[in-house]
Amino acid sequence: MRSLWFAMATAVAWLATGCARIPPERLEAQVLETLHWQRQYEAERERMESVAVKLAALEAAIERLKQERAEAEQGRAALMEELARTEADRHALEEHNTQLLARERELNELREMHEQLSDVFYESALERARRRLPSARQPDAPAAGDGTAAP
């Protein structure tokens, strides 16, 4: 312990005498150079802090863009699903429309057939009525030679 104390005292004395031997101009130059390097260090540290803040802002912007891109991709996927459903609905509606058009054609054919049958039924009923009316008006009339009445 004693030798450690002696070594430290010797080192301090040697430093003190070494500093005393440095000329003041050189000591002032070293102080100025130290101050210069300290200012450069501070300026560089401030610049690095500024760069770190900008980097953090850029990283936050990148994260925000990634999130927006992911949301856009989810929206795109949802739109694609909706498009597929819409296409399926459109296809089903086209098939239904085709069926409705076919039924409309059938209905129009049935209407025409109904009109024709109505015309035939009306003409047939009219003809029967004509045949009955002359026989009802002329019950006393002699029958024609072949048994047919001329209208």
Side-chain angles (χ1 to χ4, degrees):
M1 190 73 151
R2 215 172 175 180
S3 61
L4 182 61
W5 176 255
F6 180 73
M8 283 184 66
T10 307
V12 169
W14 182 76
L15 283 173
T17 58
C19 286
R21 285 189 281 172
I22 297 176
E25 301 86 28
R26 188 169 177 213
L27 187 61
E28 187 177 326
Q30 286 180 347
V31 169
L32 289 175
E33 187 177 353
T34 303
L35 290 175
H36 168 75
W37 283 108
Q38 186 177 10
R39 282 191 301 270
Q40 266 191 324
Y41 169 77
E42 290 294 326
E44 189 66 23
R45 193 181 89 211
E46 288 176 10
R47 190 181 74 77
M48 290 301 289
E49 286 175 359
S50 171
V51 167
V53 167
K54 289 177 184 177
L55 181 63
L58 287 175
E59 286 175 347
I62 288 171
E63 279 300 315
R64 201 170 42 253
L65 287 174
K66 282 181 181 179
Q67 185 176 6
E68 288 175 4
R69 183 177 288 154
E71 289 172 358
E73 185 60 33
Q74 287 176 346
R76 183 181 163 281
L79 285 175
M80 293 304 288
E81 288 175 8
E82 183 65 26
L83 179 64
R85 280 194 302 270
T86 303
E87 283 291 321
D89 290 347
R90 185 184 64 82
H91 183 68
L93 286 173
E94 285 176 350
E95 286 181 12
H96 185 67
N97 189 39
T98 303
Q99 292 172 357
L100 287 176
L101 289 173
R103 287 191 177 174
E104 185 179 23
R105 282 192 297 272
E106 289 175 12
L107 183 61
N108 287 335
E109 290 173 4
L110 288 174
R111 280 186 188 145
E112 286 179 22
M113 193 181 302
H114 180 265
E115 287 177 11
Q116 291 172 357
L117 287 175
S118 293
D119 289 345
V120 168
F121 176 75
Y122 178 73
E123 288 176 12
S124 174
L126 190 60
E127 185 65 32
R128 277 190 305 246
R130 282 184 191 157
R131 276 191 237 145
R132 287 186 187 151
L133 278 178
S135 63
R137 285 187 191 166
Q138 302 172 359
D140 298 336
D146 59 358
T148 59

